[in-house]
Amino acid sequence: MAASEATEAIRVKLKELLDDRFEKEGFEFGPIVVMPCVDDDGTSYLQSYIVFSGDQDRLDPTWTLRLSDSLWAQSQELGYPGIPLQLFVERSEWTDELQELLT
């Protein structure tokens, strides 16, 4: 599978999971940038940058830490055997320069 298809599939799944969980908390998510990466051992994985706006204190860390588990099987099926990682970035910290650097 092409990297762009894999990253889009994970991006869509992340958006669904986030919206389902945090819809009532007043969060807005996007953009979500998913990038293929390779760790020091040569294992490929998908890294996601999730831009959000909302009260960070309401962003349940117990749930967000389990996102990798929720995505890992699909990531493996897409050809990325390493555990997927997510980084949350507040919208105020997300600059055009950062987006260009990552895309």
Side-chain angles (χ1 to χ4, degrees):
M1 172 171 287
S4 61
E5 293 173 6
T7 58
E8 179 62 11
I10 293 297
R11 187 196 68 73
V12 168
K13 182 66 172 179
L14 269 171
K15 181 79 167 124
E16 289 173 3
L17 290 169
L18 291 163
D19 286 345
D20 285 349
R21 169 58 181 87
F22 293 105
E23 179 179 34
K24 294 177 181 156
E25 304 289 333
F27 282 93
E28 291 183 22
F29 296 98
I32 298 173
V33 177
V34 181
M35 300 172 40
C37 296
V38 177
D39 68 16
D40 292 338
D41 295 326
T43 303
S44 58
Y45 67 97
L46 295 171
Q47 170 121 9
S48 303
Y49 295 86
I50 302 166
V51 179
F52 72 95
S53 62
D55 181 0
Q56 187 170 4
D57 291 337
R58 298 184 70 134
L59 193 59
D60 180 5
T62 303
W63 188 88
T64 60
L65 286 172
R66 293 184 182 144
L67 266 175
S68 293
D69 290 339
S70 299
L71 299 169
W72 201 357
Q74 183 179 6
S75 181
Q76 289 175 319
E77 289 172 9
L78 296 169
Y80 294 88
I83 191 163
L85 301 176
Q86 302 81 44
L87 296 172
F88 286 82
V89 182
E90 289 188 65
R91 181 156 288 129
S92 62
E93 301 291 322
W94 187 254
T95 63
D96 290 339
E97 293 81 16
L98 182 57
Q99 182 161 342
E100 287 178 28
L101 179 67
L102 295 174
T103 55

